[in-house]
C-alpha cells in the first residue's frame, strides 16, 4: 500500500499499465478481468477502455481500472474492469457479457455494495455522483454522511449550474461555473 501521494500515483500508473485501453484483445481472450476478494463489495470500472455505444466510439475513462485494482488489493473487495477496447458498452448493454459477469459475481459472493467507477468532465459541476436507486438501496442521508464528514458538499441536482460549454475539448466559461467542483457530491443524478 502506498504511504504518500507520489507512491500512490506511481502505483496507480503501474496498475494502469496492465490494461490496453485503445486496442482489442486477441481472439478468444476476454476484454475484461475480475479480481475475487473477501469483502461483500464489488468495484466496477466498465469504461476503463474505449467502447462503442450505438455505433459511436467512446473514450476510455483513464485510471478507473487502476483504482478498481488498487481498491481490490488494499481492501479485499472484488473488482471487475475493462482491459481492452470492446464492441459493447459494458455499462449500457443490459444483456452484455460484462453485466452478465457483474450479476454472476454479485450472486456468487453475496455482494452488498456495487461501486461503479467512472471518469467525469468538469462540465457536470460535481466531483462524485452517487446512485441509491432513489433510496431503494440506502437513504440519501446515510450515503452522504461519510462524504460530508470529510468536507464534501452535498448538492441538490436542481441547483447545479448549467454545464460548461466546450470548444475543441477545452472548458469555456458559460456564465458562471468554469472553475472545478470536485468537492460536490450529488445523489441520484439522472
Amino acid at each position: 500500500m502506498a504511504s504518500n501521494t507520489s507512491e500512490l500515483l506511481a502505483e496507480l500508473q503501474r496498475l494502469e499499465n496492465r490494461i490496453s485501453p485503445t486496442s482489442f484483445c486477441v481472439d478468444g481472450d476476454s476484454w475484461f478481468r475480475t479480481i475475487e476478494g473477501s469483502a461483500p463489495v464489488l468495484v466496477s470500472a466498465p469504461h476503463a477502455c474505449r467502447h462503442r455505444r450505438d455505433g459511436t466510439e467512446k473514450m476510455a475513462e483513464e485510471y478507473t481500472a487502476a483504482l478498481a485494482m488498487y481498491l481490490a488489493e488494499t481492501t479485499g473487495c472484488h473488482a471487475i474492469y475493462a482491459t481492452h477496447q470492446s464492441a459493447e458498452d459494458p455499462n449500457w448493454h443490459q444483456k452484455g457479457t460484462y453485466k452478465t459477469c457483474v450479476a454472476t459475481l454479485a450472486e456468487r459472493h453475496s455482494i452488498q455494495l456495487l461501486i461503479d467507477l467512472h471518469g467525469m468532465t468538469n462540465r457536470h459541476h460535481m466531483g462524485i455522483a452517487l446512485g441509491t436507486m432513489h433510496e431503494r438501496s440506502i437513504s440519501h442521508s446515510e450515503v452522504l454522511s461519510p462524504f460530508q464528514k470529510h468536507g464534501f458538499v452535498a448538492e441538490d441536482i436542481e441547483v447545479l449550474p448549467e454545464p460548461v460549454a466546450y470548444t475543441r475539448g477545452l472548458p469555456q466559461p458559460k456564465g458562471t461555473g468554469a472553475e472545478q467542483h470536485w468537492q460536490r457530491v450529488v445523489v441520484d443524478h439522472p
Side-chain angles (χ1 to χ4, degrees):
M1 177 151 53
S3 62
N4 62 45
T5 303
S6 61
E7 286 180 17
L8 175 60
L9 293 175
E11 178 64 9
L12 290 174
Q13 183 63 58
R14 182 186 72 76
L15 293 169
E16 187 74 1
N17 289 338
R18 291 182 183 176
I19 68 167
S20 300
T22 60
S23 64
F24 287 95
C25 60
V26 178
D27 287 338
D29 288 345
S30 179
W31 51 270
F32 60 87
R33 288 203 179 109
T34 62
I35 299 172
E36 298 209 9
S38 56
V41 174
L42 174 60
V43 175
S44 171
H47 293 159
C49 298
R50 288 186 182 178
H51 53 283
R52 297 190 75 72
R53 181 187 303 166
D54 296 330
T56 303
E57 184 172 89
K58 300 289 200 172
M59 299 303 296
E61 296 172 358
E62 296 176 319
Y63 292 93
T64 56
L67 285 169
M69 288 183 265
Y70 184 78
L71 288 169
E73 289 178 6
T74 59
T75 70
C77 70
H78 302 270
I80 181 170
Y81 54 95
T83 60
H84 290 81
Q85 187 170 349
S86 70
E88 78 177 50
D89 181 332
N91 207 52
W92 188 260
H93 293 107
Q94 295 301 314
K95 304 286 185 197
T97 55
Y98 189 93
K99 277 207 172 175
T100 300
C101 188
V102 167
T104 300
L105 289 168
E107 172 101 12
R108 182 184 316 141
H109 299 290
S110 300
I111 297 299
Q112 300 297 304
L113 176 65
L114 171 65
I115 299 172
D116 206 33
L117 296 175
H118 289 275
M120 188 173 6
T121 65
N122 191 47
R123 71 184 170 98
H124 298 287
H125 296 280
M126 66 186 96
I128 299 174
L130 302 168
T132 68
M133 301 183 326
H134 301 284
E135 296 191 280
R136 289 190 312 255
S137 63
I138 188 172
S139 75
H140 288 177
S141 61
E142 286 176 289
V143 77
L144 285 172
S145 178
F147 289 95
Q148 291 170 317
K149 181 179 171 184
H150 292 284
F152 286 85
V153 178
E155 295 283 359
D156 183 337
I157 59 172
E158 303 301 323
V159 298
L160 288 175
E162 289 185 42
V164 174
Y166 275 72
T167 303
R168 283 184 252 152
L170 300 173
Q172 303 298 315
K174 181 181 179 185
T176 62
E179 67 278 2
Q180 295 180 339
H181 304 281
W182 304 123
Q183 77 283 2
R184 285 188 171 158
V185 178
V186 177
V187 179
D188 291 327
H189 189 279

